[in-house]
Amino acid sequence: MLSTLIACSLTGVLVLAGCSSSNQSYSSGEPTLGDLKRRDISVRPQELEPVSAERVLESYESAVALFSTQEERALAMRRMADLTMVATEDKMIDSLEEAPLVDAAAAGAVDADTLQYGKAVAIYEALIAGAPAGSDLSEEYYLLAKAYDLSGEQEKALDTLNTLVAKYPDGEFTYEAQFRRGEHLFLIGDFQGAVGAYAYVLKAGPQRDFYEHSLYKHGWSLYKLGDYDLAVTDFVTLLDGYMPTPPPKTEAEKAAERKERTITKIEAIPLPEVSKTQQKTLDDTLRVLSMSFSNLEGANSVSEYFRTNGHRIYEFKVYAALAELYLYQERYKDAADAYAMFSQKNPLHPMAPSMSSKVIDTYQKGGFPSLVLPYKETFVEQYGVYSAFWARATPEAREQYSNELKQHLIELAQHYHAAAQKTKLPKDYGVAARWYREFLATFPNDESAPVMNMLLGETLFAAKEFRPAIEEFERTGYDYPPHADAEKAAYFALLSYQEFLNVLPKDDPTRRGWVAKRASSSLRFAKAYPANQHTPAILDNVIEDQLLLGDVEGAIVTAQLIIELVPPAPQALREKAWITYANGMFDKQAWVKAEEAITKVLQFTSLQPKQRAKFEENLATCIYKQGEILEQDGRLAEAAGEYLRVGAVIPNASVRANADYDAANILLQLEEYDKAIEVLESFRSRFPSHALTASIPAKLSFAYEKTGNLTMAATELVAIALLNKETNPELAREALLQAAEMREKSGDVDGAIELYKKFVWDYERPVGPRMEAQFKLVELYGQQGDSGKRYFWLNKLVDTHNAAGAEQSDRTLYLAAYGAYHGADILFQDFNNIRLTQPLKNSLRKKKAALQKASKAYTQTVQYGVIDFTTAANYKLGELNRLFARSIMDSERPRGLDELALEEYEILLEDQALPFEDKAIAIFQTNTERTLDGVWDEWVQKSYESLSKLSPGRYNKPEIMEDFVDEIY
């Protein structure tokens, strides 16, 4: 690109030269440009071939002779000099690229003819020498000085620059020339001259080039001259440019803060970012600035300068640089004082903590151990979490010194902890605990917090401060993310609880609460660290505490934890846990789980006999209670199964009797009578003296009856009667009567008669049931055809009713009438069986007695007034008299009577029979008259039939039937 520009410049010069030197004129007759025809020209962009500066220079050298005027030749020579400089620089660059490892000395030894700077110098000198008077040669002097400088002729370069600034003090190139002069003067040690040269540049202001470098070198020059206070000003000005200090708060802002009572926050220093080059300059500036202050009064000079000239945002860096200088010089006390000076003068500055921390580092490097520890304590007091500084500082400001604060707190805590371990004094442990606590308050989330918390707990434990030790160990064990000391700390918390309870008086009102806390902490440990070797024993102790507190529910849960531990707890503790769990579930009435647990417990061979017996009883109770629940839920079949399972699992359990009994009742409800009978019979056999045994016969009787085994049902009822005869006669009476009825139903007539008779003889009252039993005896003896015994019990019906008194009822009256009537029928039969034979007197007397006896019985029946038997009894009375009259007439005749005597005998018989016949007619008529009362039955009808025979003229009249007409004519 540069070669292209040079070629263009050369072309322009040649064109201008050609125009200026041509004086030839052309005739108007010859063709001109205007005579050319217009043509469209298409311009295509093309790239010019790069031309080196050296080739252009050769063109210039050939063209110089063509220029006719001095000005043209001077301009061409100027171009030649510039091109010579460019060509030389190009060659130097090419040589460095071809041999990049050539050192500076070899580069400086390159032949001057090759570099051609001398040629440029000669051209510039020729230009200056040949220039007309009054010409402005400032640029030529500047370029000549540059050529001298590049060719290594430093003195000539400086002389040329001096000439330039002298001849052209306000010229265009004077500003840079002064800067170059300053550089040359500084290099040759003419610092006074350098100060003047740099001062000229600085007057132009910071907006001009070379200002920063001139300011830097101006300060250095003053430093070299020993003008340290003036050098300080330059360096501070330079630093101000790199790190500008914000303007101070206005009075209005300060007034607003006072009004709102706000606290000015300490914020982190917002230093601007700089380039690596700038950082190097900044670092060097701080170094020389520190050297300047060192040559004055050190840290006091720094303090005084900023007090007088205003504080800077980077002020701490100046103190630090001064301190680092002292450290380099091994002036440790001075270095520490420099750091400390800043903190003392700026106690609330964001960097005050860091500077104070460096005081400590300096003391350590300098070998002042006695000063280190006290200053660390001072550091924590000034900048720690309880300080005014911390309260005002923003998180960013705190972060700037948090590492130093953390380290100091750790070292203080460890120092005093080690000291306390030597003295064993509680107060010394207290000092160590103070530093541990402050660390944790300051850095609660730090990665070192768990370790520091653990050490705090150990310190408190050693000081016998068990309550706070508990808190710290628990915090260490549970409140941090997982760490190496967590499990150990959690266990130490439990040890602290134990030690605290050991010293706590037994009657202390808070003791119960502390036992509960220990149990809670132990459970927490077990859940967090189930695999710990101490966990089983810890949980076992928890159970003891929970049972002491009456926390059965808690004890159950803890026992489960022991049971479920992985790896398993020792066998003894597992068995103890199972026993606790089983007892707890039993107490909670969680019968299913209790059964499972007790079953497990009963497998333990270590159980004592009394323990085993107790758990067997509890197991039976669990099963029984499950049956109760099922029964309450209406799941009867399952309930019966559970009840029966009691005996199957624990045959000798005290609750088995109730279980079997309840099972039998449910089986009866479910109508599973055969199973119920089996259970009931077993119950009576197993528990003959049990209170419930008395009710077994009734249930068995019911069950046997339902299965159709009435014999066995009756047997059970007899048993009931026998059992309750004295204690519950009513039940006994009912059972006996029911037993008799069942024997009767089963066809066991003799057995039924036996029980009915026993009922009648054993229970005279009440009369009603007794007469029913008598009635049954009448029927049963009738079935057997035993008329005598039947007659006996028929009479008992009559006698019992007659003696019943107030207990007489319609039923007893009916039964009495029944007895009287059917008893009379027997007498009727007896009467009818007596035949009148000779001697008639004897047989007649006998038959008449039978007549009277039967008539009396029938009369009694009629007197009872029971219509069912009254007409029959009346009819039978009439029949007795009719038959008696008839038997007289049909009686055996005496032997040996002649016809007349026989006739007289028969007349005599008629006289004897007629009254009885008349009586019979009268009785029959009485019976027939009942029709007037609407009574008609077979006995009334039979009475009519008898009357038709006895009095045919009146009663033997056939009914006349007439046709009837159902139409009206």
Side-chain angles (χ1 to χ4, degrees), residues 3 31 78 106 146 213 216 239 279 291 310 324 326 408 410 438 458 462 582 642 654 783 814 827 843 908 928 948 952:
S3 300
R78 169 67 184 275
K146 181 180 180 181
H213 194 72
Y216 175 68
L239 292 175
Q279 184 64 49
M291 294 165 57
E324 289 170 5
Y326 287 145
H408 299 333
I410 291 173
E438 183 152 349
E458 292 178 0
E642 285 300 292
S654 61
Q783 292 176 17
Y814 178 87
L827 295 176
S843 61
L908 182 60
T928 60
S948 68

Side-chain angles (χ1 to χ4, degrees), residues 282-359:
L282 192 148
D283 292 342
D284 197 50
T285 302
L286 286 170
R287 181 178 64 81
V288 69
L289 180 58
S290 67
M291 294 165 57
S292 300
F293 280 123
S294 174
N295 283 294
L296 294 170
E297 295 181 10
N300 289 326
S301 297
V302 177
S303 174
E304 180 61 23
Y305 178 85
F306 288 117
R307 186 188 68 80
T308 304
N309 297 283
H311 294 283
R312 301 297 201 275
I313 194 172
Y314 56 82
E315 190 172 331
F316 70 95
K317 288 182 173 288
V318 178
Y319 281 95
L322 177 60
E324 289 170 5
L325 176 63
Y326 287 145
L327 286 172
Y328 177 76
Q329 297 171 349
E330 297 185 352
R331 296 166 60 183
Y332 296 107
K333 187 65 173 65
D334 291 337
D337 291 344
Y339 286 129
M341 176 71 74
F342 176 80
S343 300
Q344 292 167 6
K345 297 296 181 179
N346 305 276
L348 297 180
H349 191 278
M351 295 305 297
S354 180
M355 299 294 278
S356 294
S357 187
K358 289 178 179 179
V359 174

Side-chain angles (χ1 to χ4, degrees), residues 171-364:
E172 178 184 355
F173 295 93
T174 303
Y175 175 80
E176 185 175 349
Q178 289 285 22
F179 172 73
R180 302 300 177 188
R181 284 184 68 241
E183 294 290 272
H184 282 285
L185 293 169
F186 189 88
L187 287 174
I188 64 177
D190 185 358
F191 299 112
Q192 190 66 52
V195 166
Y198 287 128
Y200 181 90
V201 177
L202 295 177
K203 288 178 183 179
Q207 72 278 3
R208 295 294 301 272
D209 294 337
F210 313 117
Y211 176 83
E212 282 187 8
H213 194 72
S214 296
L215 184 60
Y216 175 68
K217 285 295 188 67
H218 186 264
W220 260 109
S221 299
L222 292 171
Y223 176 82
K224 294 292 186 178
L225 293 172
D227 293 330
Y228 303 115
D229 51 349
L230 297 177
V232 165
T233 301
D234 281 352
F235 294 133
V236 169
T237 302
L238 182 59
L239 292 175
D240 285 342
Y242 280 112
M243 298 176 286
T245 300
K249 291 184 179 180
T250 65
E251 291 300 323
E253 290 174 334
K254 293 179 180 178
E257 286 184 352
R258 288 192 296 272
K259 182 179 180 180
E260 297 174 5
R261 297 183 179 179
T262 58
I263 299 175
T264 302
K265 293 295 183 182
I266 300 171
E267 299 179 349
I269 301 298
L271 295 177
E273 294 184 2
V274 295
S275 66
K276 291 183 178 180
T277 303
Q278 289 174 324
Q279 184 64 49
K280 185 176 182 302
T281 303
L282 192 148
D283 292 342
D284 197 50
T285 302
L286 286 170
R287 181 178 64 81
V288 69
L289 180 58
S290 67
M291 294 165 57
S292 300
F293 280 123
S294 174
N295 283 294
L296 294 170
E297 295 181 10
N300 289 326
S301 297
V302 177
S303 174
E304 180 61 23
Y305 178 85
F306 288 117
R307 186 188 68 80
T308 304
N309 297 283
H311 294 283
R312 301 297 201 275
I313 194 172
Y314 56 82
E315 190 172 331
F316 70 95
K317 288 182 173 288
V318 178
Y319 281 95
L322 177 60
E324 289 170 5
L325 176 63
Y326 287 145
L327 286 172
Y328 177 76
Q329 297 171 349
E330 297 185 352
R331 296 166 60 183
Y332 296 107
K333 187 65 173 65
D334 291 337
D337 291 344
Y339 286 129
M341 176 71 74
F342 176 80
S343 300
Q344 292 167 6
K345 297 296 181 179
N346 305 276
L348 297 180
H349 191 278
M351 295 305 297
S354 180
M355 299 294 278
S356 294
S357 187
K358 289 178 179 179
V359 174
I360 298 170
D361 294 339
T362 303
Y363 283 148
Q364 290 174 328

Side-chain angles (χ1 to χ4, degrees), residues 751-791:
I753 290 172
E754 179 186 0
L755 294 180
Y756 280 129
K757 287 168 66 176
K758 180 174 178 57
F759 180 86
V760 170
W761 300 131
D762 288 352
Y763 303 104
E764 295 183 2
R765 290 288 188 274
V767 170
R770 188 183 190 204
M771 288 186 68
E772 296 291 348
Q774 291 170 344
F775 176 72
K776 285 291 184 181
L777 287 169
V778 169
E779 289 184 330
L780 294 174
Y781 277 124
Q783 292 176 17
Q784 290 184 333
D786 191 339
S787 59
K789 290 182 179 179
R790 181 173 182 270
Y791 177 72

Side-chain angles (χ1 to χ4, degrees), residues 318-565:
V318 178
Y319 281 95
L322 177 60
E324 289 170 5
L325 176 63
Y326 287 145
L327 286 172
Y328 177 76
Q329 297 171 349
E330 297 185 352
R331 296 166 60 183
Y332 296 107
K333 187 65 173 65
D334 291 337
D337 291 344
Y339 286 129
M341 176 71 74
F342 176 80
S343 300
Q344 292 167 6
K345 297 296 181 179
N346 305 276
L348 297 180
H349 191 278
M351 295 305 297
S354 180
M355 299 294 278
S356 294
S357 187
K358 289 178 179 179
V359 174
I360 298 170
D361 294 339
T362 303
Y363 283 148
Q364 290 174 328
K365 290 178 181 178
F368 302 106
S370 61
L371 300 177
V372 172
L373 194 66
Y375 206 87
K376 287 182 179 179
E377 294 184 19
T378 301
F379 182 93
V380 175
E381 290 169 358
Q382 289 178 343
Y383 310 114
V385 70
Y386 303 115
S387 67
F389 185 95
W390 184 277
R392 292 169 177 257
T394 62
E396 293 78 12
R398 294 172 185 170
E399 185 63 25
Q400 287 186 331
Y401 71 94
S402 62
N403 289 336
E404 292 91 337
L405 178 60
K406 183 192 307 182
Q407 188 60 34
H408 299 333
L409 283 169
I410 291 173
E411 291 172 357
L412 285 168
Q414 291 176 343
H415 170 80
Y416 284 108
H417 194 169
Q421 288 175 329
K422 292 179 180 178
T423 64
K424 307 295 184 183
L425 296 176
K427 65 181 183 64
D428 291 340
Y429 281 113
V431 174
R434 181 256 179 179
W435 295 112
Y436 283 125
R437 282 196 173 102
E438 183 152 349
F439 177 92
L440 294 171
T442 310
F443 304 104
N445 300 316
D446 187 78
E447 62 180 7
S448 302
V451 175
M452 297 296 281
N453 216 149
M454 179 70 177
L455 292 171
L456 172 58
E458 292 178 0
T459 302
L460 294 168
F461 188 92
K464 301 189 183 304
E465 296 288 340
F466 300 118
R467 285 182 60 176
I470 289 170
E471 295 177 9
E472 300 308 327
F473 282 134
E474 287 187 335
R475 183 178 294 111
T476 305
Y478 306 111
D479 293 353
Y480 294 103
H483 61 93
D485 289 330
E487 189 169 342
K488 180 181 177 183
Y491 181 68
F492 279 10
L494 300 181
L495 297 180
S496 301
Y497 271 113
Q498 186 60 49
E499 292 298 325
F500 178 69
L501 288 171
N502 288 341
V503 299
L504 189 67
K506 300 293 184 182
D507 58 351
D508 190 293
T510 65
R511 184 177 183 84
R512 186 178 179 85
W514 280 104
V515 171
K517 288 182 179 179
R518 177 177 66 176
S520 177
S521 184
S522 298
L523 286 173
R524 192 178 186 185
F525 178 90
K527 290 178 181 178
Y529 310 109
N532 186 279
Q533 61 176 337
H534 301 293
T535 296
I538 288 170
L539 288 175
D540 184 59
N541 290 334
V542 171
I543 292 175
E544 298 296 333
D545 288 344
Q546 289 169 328
L547 294 177
L548 177 65
L549 297 170
D551 183 10
V552 176
E553 187 69 37
I556 291 172
V557 173
T558 306
Q560 282 181 292
L561 292 176
I562 295 178
I563 292 168
E564 297 169 1
L565 277 178

Side-chain angles (χ1 to χ4, degrees), residues 833-851:
N833 289 333
I834 299 173
R835 300 184 61 80
L836 293 179
T837 61
Q838 295 298 327
L840 183 61
K841 181 178 181 180
N842 293 336
S843 61
L844 183 60
R845 184 176 65 251
K846 185 177 180 181
K847 191 171 182 69
K848 189 173 184 179
L851 170 66

